[in-house]
């Protein structure tokens, strides 16, 4: 069972998580981070975690309040996705995803699912490492027409690793 855990304030990250869960083609549970605790997250062998970016590149509020110190993801496979606003916050696009990525790496996870920055229009992002996003970057505010295609392409990339 794959845990798809999201933090969403405006509904866009939740919508992406639901679409991902419905189209992944593997057994999964889609849960809001405000409804789970670290023990529940630790119970999954494979996880897909999503957050939006708030303020000056911060994690979504529910993730920001989450006890990452209680996570033990050693030996577990994790993929991350993030929502951002590539126009209004072009210099910190999807920075929340970078914070989520760093937290799960610290907890011992093996993170998969990096995505090329090709086709994205932004100035700067902490979630770009070695020339790629650490996970799937989405923008429901300015590029909503690309969301389903980006998720579908990402599913094809990560599905063999999660199967």
């Amino acid at each position: 069972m794959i845990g798809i855990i999201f933090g969403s304030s405006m509904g866009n990250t939740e919508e992406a998580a639901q679409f991902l869960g419905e189209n992944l083609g593997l057994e999964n549970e889609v849960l809001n981070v405000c409804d789970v605790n670290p023990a529940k997250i630790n119970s999954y062998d494979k996880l897909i975690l999503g957050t939006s970016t708030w303020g000056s590149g911060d994690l979504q509020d529910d993730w920001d309040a989450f006890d990452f110190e209680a996570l033990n993801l050693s030996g577990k496979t994790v993929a991350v996705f993030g929502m951002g606003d590539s126009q209004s916050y072009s210099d910190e696009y999807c920075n929340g995803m970078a914070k989520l990525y760093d937290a799960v790496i610290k907890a011992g996870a093996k993170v998969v699912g990096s995505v090329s920055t090709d086709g994205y229009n932004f100035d700067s992002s902490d979630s770009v490492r070695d020339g790629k996003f650490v996970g799937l970057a989405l923008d429901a505010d300015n590029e909503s027409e690309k969301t389903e295609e980006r998720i579908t392409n990402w599913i094809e990339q990560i599905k063999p690793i999660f199967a």
Side-chain angles (χ1 to χ4, degrees), residues 98-120:
K99 291 181 179 182
L100 192 57
Y101 170 86
D102 291 340
V104 298
I105 289 288
K106 184 178 177 184
K110 173 189 169 200
V111 179
V112 299
S114 64
V115 172
S116 170
T117 60
D118 293 347
Y120 288 87

Side-chain angles (χ1 to χ4, degrees), residues 3-5 11 17 43 48 65 68 70 72 74 79 114 144-145 156-158:
I4 301 174
I5 316 296
S43 73
I48 300 172
F68 285 104
N72 179 2
S74 183
S114 64
S144 60
E145 73 283 355
E156 293 309 308
Q157 176 188 341
I158 67 171

Side-chain angles (χ1 to χ4, degrees), residues 5-136:
I5 316 296
F6 67 89
S8 186
S9 296
M10 303 299 290
N12 294 325
T13 310
E14 179 177 8
E15 190 175 308
Q18 294 293 347
F19 182 83
L20 180 60
E22 291 165 7
N23 292 278
L24 186 59
L26 301 170
E27 188 178 0
N28 67 75
E29 277 186 310
V30 180
L31 302 167
N32 191 319
V33 68
C34 68
D35 297 328
V36 298
N37 59 31
K40 176 70 173 172
I41 291 178
N42 289 339
S43 73
Y44 294 101
D45 289 328
K46 297 175 182 178
L47 291 155
I48 300 172
L49 307 176
T51 186
S52 51
T53 298
W54 284 92
S56 302
D58 296 322
L59 279 170
Q60 185 270 344
D61 291 343
D62 298 313
W63 276 119
D64 194 47
F66 188 79
D67 181 13
F68 285 104
E69 295 297 321
L71 285 182
N72 179 2
L73 302 179
S74 183
K76 298 185 182 200
T77 301
V78 176
V80 295
F81 70 96
M83 280 284 170
D85 183 335
S86 63
Q87 289 182 13
S88 298
Y89 299 95
S90 184
D91 58 340
E92 51 200 32
Y93 178 59
C94 285
N95 281 2
M97 179 170 61
K99 291 181 179 182
L100 192 57
Y101 170 86
D102 291 340
V104 298
I105 289 288
K106 184 178 177 184
K110 173 189 169 200
V111 179
V112 299
S114 64
V115 172
S116 170
T117 60
D118 293 347
Y120 288 87
N121 187 17
F122 64 100
D123 291 323
S124 179
S125 176
D126 290 347
S127 65
V128 175
R129 313 271 170 96
D130 298 323
K132 289 185 169 186
F133 287 111
V134 296
L136 177 62

